[in-house]
Amino acid sequence: MEQTKKGKLGLGWLIPGAVMLANPVVAFYDILPDCIGYLLVCISLFRLADLNSSIADALRRFRTLIWISMGGLLMQYFIYNVLSKQPGLKPQEIPTMVLLCAFVMAVPQLYFAVPAWRDLFSGFWQLAERHEGEAVFRYGKRNSNLCERMRRASGVFVVLFSALSVLPEFSVLTTFEYEYEKLPFDWYQFIWLFRVSAVMVLTVLFLVWIVRLVRFILLFTRDERMMNSIIARYERDILPESDMLSIRRLRFGIVFLIIGAALTLNVCIEEKILLPSVLCAIFTAVGVLIFGTDLQHRKPFFVTCGALGIFSIAELLLNGYYTKYFSYESSGWEVEAYRLFLGLRATQVVEAFLVAWMFLLLLDLFGGFVKERVFEKYEGTDTEAVSARATERLHKSFAKKITVCKILFFMSAAAIALEAIFQLEHPWLWWVSVPTVIASTVAFASFLYALLDHLAWQSGMGNTHKSE
């Protein structure tokens, strides 16, 4: 074969994904975002997941870990960029918050990561058994099962990694006991010594684990007989299922589009923008790119995405400059602050309507998609006339859903614009903007999944999982 087996199945992404996961965590601050590592792991597994149910279960858990990791990034931002800059904080408040969040993150990591790695290597084991993979069964002088060894080693590594990320932060509890004279010593003053020691131990554990993982992947992918058998089965059982692969691609794109719709929400905490609109533009554009040529005439949409990204970055820079020297309340009596605040308001209003226009263009693209790809087909007498009438009714039904989504997106844009203009005079306006954004997102998601369900039914897809 001209293309390497490892590259053809995508297993090469597993190694950089694992490297991104096993990076030092200092004071709950993840130096390399784990969400990127879990994403690379998912990319490496999505083909093999069609062939084995255990790997499919592992893939679902790794997808959940992507969201957990993204939640951790938001926690980091909130603690280190918002809470830490508040005046009048007690010395123990931020360390206590770091301890709480580190513990909260460690629990779901253990709950999902341990069974994810267990199922992953169980799946490799099952594939090797089915396709006569001798290399991973008879490894070393003792002819040991390398899949079983990696399954145990990965579980131990995840547990120790989570524990060592949290344990140093527990030293803050001694501060409270010391203040109440219940302990003779405050161990928190040595927190950086504990953190550095934990990072050193984690680095050693990581090097041992990653070397074993790389060795496992190399042995697995260099077993020519097994890999040829796996690829032959994938080409025989999976690739002919073009409808299944198409529906899966559309489902993946829909996830990005729904996230983009949810990111239209204007979230600011302590004058800090948590969810800039550039994220909305990026996720929505990625979703449209995943749909590919199924959505025609996309140029106006991408132009609007680019304009939204530019305005969002300008808003971030302007807001950063404004909050560095002024506060929102100072706009009432300082001329320069008032002028900057007017510019910030104008930018937010333009952004809100750019977001609405972007989704209106996107819904027009889906209107064309429905006309091209969605139909009803009946059998029996007068087939063509009956099918044409049913298809017309179906198109009208989807057109009504698209119209409702357009109205809700415009209403949410108007509510966000009003909040931006009158946020000082009427701070309660977020009670209007948030429900309208939620309503538009829910309506948009309902339309997309209704479209996906009909496409799946239209394709006659039943159980398309080709697992052992």
Side-chain angles (χ1 to χ4, degrees), residues 178-189:
Y178 176 74
E179 290 179 350
Y180 290 104
E181 298 182 353
K182 294 182 179 180
L183 284 179
F185 204 73
D186 180 9
W187 289 102
Y188 189 73
Q189 59 185 310

Side-chain angles (χ1 to χ4, degrees), residues 349-404:
V349 170
V350 172
E351 272 187 62
F353 285 104
L354 274 176
V355 168
W357 182 247
M358 181 181 70
F359 278 98
L360 262 59
L361 291 174
L362 178 60
L363 289 165
D364 285 337
L365 294 179
F366 274 108
F369 178 83
V370 168
K371 293 178 182 178
E372 292 290 332
R373 292 284 301 274
V374 175
F375 58 87
E376 291 277 16
K377 187 175 181 180
Y378 291 92
E379 297 180 356
T381 59
D382 201 12
T383 302
E384 293 185 3
V386 173
S387 299
R389 288 195 297 269
T391 300
E392 184 180 0
R393 288 196 302 270
L394 185 62
H395 287 177
K396 288 181 179 179
S397 174
F398 278 114
K400 290 179 182 178
K401 291 182 173 67
I402 289 174
T403 302
V404 170

Side-chain angles (χ1 to χ4, degrees), residues 419-431:
E419 182 189 1
I421 296 172
F422 300 109
Q423 58 184 298
L424 294 182
E425 297 85 352
H426 306 287
W428 53 267
L429 281 172
W430 72 271
W431 284 97

Side-chain angles (χ1 to χ4, degrees), residues 294-313:
D294 289 321
L295 297 179
Q296 301 292 330
H297 310 296
R298 300 176 296 173
K299 187 176 179 179
F301 168 81
F302 286 121
V303 170
T304 307
C305 281
L308 177 60
I310 292 171
F311 270 91
S312 177
I313 294 171

Side-chain angles (χ1 to χ4, degrees), residues 235-277:
E235 292 175 345
R236 183 184 69 248
D237 294 342
I238 304 301
L239 290 183
E241 299 283 352
S242 58
D243 288 335
M244 178 193 74
L245 298 177
S246 177
I247 294 299
R248 178 183 300 162
R249 174 173 56 83
L250 298 184
R251 183 180 290 114
F252 188 52
I254 282 173
V255 171
F256 280 87
L257 294 178
I258 294 174
I259 294 173
L263 290 173
T264 60
L265 190 63
N266 185 21
V267 178
C268 292
I269 297 179
E270 300 295 336
E271 303 179 1
K272 299 289 185 180
I273 300 173
L274 289 185
L275 299 177
S277 297

Side-chain angles (χ1 to χ4, degrees), residues 53-105:
S53 57
S54 294
I55 295 180
D57 292 338
L59 182 61
R60 283 192 289 270
R61 291 189 173 97
F62 282 127
R63 286 172 179 165
T64 303
L65 286 166
I66 293 176
W67 301 111
I68 294 173
S69 178
M70 291 177 67
L73 290 177
L74 289 177
M75 289 183 188
Q76 291 173 20
Y77 180 88
F78 182 69
I79 291 174
Y80 293 112
N81 294 285
V82 179
L83 286 181
S84 62
K85 297 179 180 178
Q86 296 303 304
L89 284 177
K90 295 181 179 180
Q92 299 86 6
E93 289 191 39
I94 294 300
T96 305
M97 184 64 69
V98 170
L99 169 61
L100 176 63
C101 293
F103 182 78
V104 168
M105 289 299 300

